[in-house]
């Protein structure tokens, strides 16, 4: 498709010297523009993809994929319901849950918190919590009369440790002749977990289900069921079977999946991701305009050479290919370097952040603001390919007009004025 002399001329024109060397300098800056645009786009998309996957993993790993809420608000036969749903394909485990808001008091300090009552054996089967115990153990969780597991951020903020007592206060107290008295009860911390999501680590307590039943006055019932599947993507094919089985056995209530529970949040992330792709693509587009300027200047400076080549028998198509190759080299090289740099930075983003913080003292990543303890980055091959295709397509299109103008040069007119 391209002859050897066309490649040789293209490389020669990119190595201009003397008074024409300025064009080569502009070509270098055009290459750097494409390089920075591609690298920035890959890094940003990797971080946003990692952020989404990290939050998705934390939210789902903490609360399950499906939620069944009975109409009455209380599920009496939850053991039978657990067995019923556990036999459905793709269901990993089913957990009866009681959840309620409380005021937690630690000596002179107090804060709002959310208590999740769960069977101890079910909590031990949740990898997100069970595999991230930083102090204490879940082995003794549920053996005492008043046990709690708390997040590490809450423990650090209030100086809590294993064995510390926490007083929980709920407004749903007992009714007396003098009015409703809030219910108070003290609990001992048996384990401290760190799931990596700031909201969960700073405001959630786990309590054994039987103790939560007593504290929240649920008797021998559960508030709802949480169903965890083998993979979040199985929700579409598993939901109908679970819904059908619940209705067939007379279980009336709402069945909600994680997509509905977190729809606005994850939709906002996806929209933001798409918008960022478009915005950052403009960086590449600006660099492409520099390529157009570079090639137009190169064509103008080589009018005499083009005329001589044409008089020696070079075809218009050969002239077009020469300048097309010259412009494409800038785009291909800039895109390649940008992809390499983007992947390297995305893979080592946390290390780079730690290095900057250590050398400058500036705080690059604040877990309290961003809800995740470390910078997440997931490199999706499809996104890297998409960025590469966009960059190369824009570059190739940018070189067509200058190359076409070069091919249309009239050798007689060019030689007359040269």
């Amino acid at each position: 498709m391209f002859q050897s002399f066309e490649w040789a001329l293209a490389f020669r024109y990119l190595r201009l010297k003397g008074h024409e060397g300025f064009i080569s300098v502009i070509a270098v800056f055009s290459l750097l523009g494409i390089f920075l645009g591609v690298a920035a786009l890959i890094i940003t998309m990797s971080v946003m993809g990692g952020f989404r996957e990290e939050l998705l993993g934390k939210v789902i790993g903490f609360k399950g994929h499906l939620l069944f809420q009975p109409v009455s608000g209380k599920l009496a036969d939850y053991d039978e319901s657990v067995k019923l749903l556990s036999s459905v394909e793709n269901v990993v485990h089913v957990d009866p849950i009681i959840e309620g808001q409380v005021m937690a008091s630690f000596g002179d300090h107090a804060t709002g918190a959310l208590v999740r009552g769960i069977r101890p054996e079910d909590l031990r089967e949740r990898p997100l919590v069970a595999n991230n115990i930083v102090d204490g153990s879940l082995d003794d969780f549920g053996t005492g009369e008043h046990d709690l597991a708390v997040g590490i951020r809450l423990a650090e903020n209030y100086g809590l440790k294993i064995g510390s007592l926490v007083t929980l206060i709920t407004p749903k107290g007992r009714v007396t002749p003098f009015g409703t008295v809030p219910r108070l009860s003290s609990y001992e911390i048996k384990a401290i977990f760190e799931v990596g999501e700031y909201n969960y680590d700073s405001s959630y307590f786990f309590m054994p289900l039987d103790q939560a039943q007593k504290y929240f006055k649920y008797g021998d019932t559960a508030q709802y069921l949480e169903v965890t599947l083998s993979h979040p993507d199985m929700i579409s094919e598993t939901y109908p079977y679970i819904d059908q089985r619940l209705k067939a056995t007379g279980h009336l209530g709402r069945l909600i999946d994680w997509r509905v529970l977190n729809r606005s949040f994850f939709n906002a992330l996806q929209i933001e991701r798409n918008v960022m792709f478009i915005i950052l693509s403009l960086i590449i587009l600006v660099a492409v305009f520099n390529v157009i300027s570079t090639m137009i200047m190169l064509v103008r400076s080589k009018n005499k050479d083009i005329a001589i080549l044409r008089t020696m028998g070079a075809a218009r198509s050969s002239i077009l290919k020469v300048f097309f190759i010259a412009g494409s080299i800038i785009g291909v090289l800039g895109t390649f370097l940008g992809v390499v740099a983007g992947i390297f930075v995305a893979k080592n983003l946390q290390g780079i952040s730690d290095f900057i913080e250590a050398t400058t003292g500036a705080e690059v990543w604040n877990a309290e603001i961003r809800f995740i303890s470390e910078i997440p980055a997931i490199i999706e091959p499809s996104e890297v390919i998409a960025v590469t295709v966009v960059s190369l397509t824009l570059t190739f299109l940018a070189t067509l007009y200058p190359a076409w103008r070069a091919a249309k040069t009239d050798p007689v007119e060019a030689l007359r004025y040269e």
Side-chain angles (χ1 to χ4, degrees), residues 146 166-170 183-187 215:
H146 296 84
V166 179
T167 301
L168 301 184
I169 307 169
T170 176
R183 192 162 52 254
L184 289 80
S185 186
S186 295
Y187 291 84
Y215 183 74

Side-chain angles (χ1 to χ4, degrees), residues 85 238-248 251 253 255:
L85 298 183
T238 308
Y239 182 99
Y241 293 102
I242 295 178
D243 186 46
Q244 182 180 6
R245 184 162 297 190
L246 287 171
K247 290 179 179 178
H251 288 77
L255 190 60

Side-chain angles (χ1 to χ4, degrees), residues 348-365:
N348 300 277
L349 204 54
Q350 187 60 44
I352 295 172
S353 173
D354 295 339
F355 175 77
I356 294 174
E357 290 183 349
T359 53
T360 64
E363 189 176 46
V364 177
W365 187 264

Side-chain angles (χ1 to χ4, degrees), residues 72-125:
S72 62
K74 293 183 179 181
L75 187 63
D77 55 344
Y78 61 84
D79 285 328
E80 293 297 325
S81 301
V82 168
K83 294 179 181 178
L84 176 70
L85 298 183
S86 296
S87 60
V88 177
E89 188 178 1
N90 300 324
V91 173
V92 177
H93 55 84
V94 183
D95 305 332
I97 300 291
I98 293 177
E99 191 172 85
Q101 291 184 334
V102 299
M103 177 67 72
S105 175
F106 325 95
D108 297 332
H109 304 283
T111 184
L114 197 145
V115 172
R116 287 174 59 81
I118 184 173
R119 294 183 300 188
E121 60 270 21
D122 292 335
L123 183 60
R124 297 185 191 104
E125 292 179 2

Side-chain angles (χ1 to χ4, degrees), residues 191-330:
I192 299 175
F193 60 85
E194 182 180 16
V195 301
E197 206 276 345
Y198 186 81
N199 185 44
Y200 296 150
D201 288 338
S202 62
S203 60
Y204 273 76
F205 294 98
F206 280 106
M207 180 187 293
L209 182 62
D210 57 344
Q211 297 178 22
Q213 289 172 333
K214 295 178 183 178
Y215 183 74
F216 291 107
K217 300 298 183 181
Y218 265 78
D220 194 26
T221 64
Q223 187 178 3
Y224 57 84
L225 297 178
E226 281 186 354
V227 182
T228 302
L229 307 180
S230 56
H231 195 277
D233 294 336
M234 298 289 184
I235 193 70
S236 297
E237 57 186 83
T238 308
Y239 182 99
Y241 293 102
I242 295 178
D243 186 46
Q244 182 180 6
R245 184 162 297 190
L246 287 171
K247 290 179 179 178
T249 53
H251 288 77
L252 302 178
R254 298 173 60 201
L255 190 60
I256 312 171
D257 63 65
W258 66 267
R259 298 171 301 183
V260 175
L261 289 172
N262 307 281
R263 177 181 297 168
S264 59
F265 179 67
F266 287 106
N267 282 350
L269 284 180
Q270 186 61 41
I271 293 172
E272 184 181 11
R273 194 178 184 186
N274 295 336
V275 171
M276 288 300 295
F277 184 91
I278 296 172
I279 293 174
L280 291 176
S281 296
L282 297 178
I283 300 177
I284 302 176
L285 187 60
V286 171
V288 166
F289 280 119
N290 289 335
V291 174
I292 297 176
S293 302
T294 302
M295 296 308 300
I296 290 176
M297 293 176 63
L298 181 61
V299 171
R300 296 281 296 180
S301 68
K302 292 300 177 183
N303 269 347
K304 181 180 178 180
D305 290 13
I306 295 171
I308 294 174
L309 287 171
R310 292 285 288 116
T311 57
M312 293 176 63
R316 291 183 184 274
S317 59
S318 294
I319 302 299
L320 186 146
K321 291 177 184 178
V322 168
F323 289 95
F324 179 81
I325 293 172
S328 299
I329 289 173
I330 298 173

Side-chain angles (χ1 to χ4, degrees), residues 391-408:
S391 178
L392 293 179
T393 301
L394 291 175
T395 304
F396 293 156
L397 291 176
T399 58
L400 287 178
Y401 175 73
W404 176 78
R405 287 297 301 270
K408 293 288 289 183

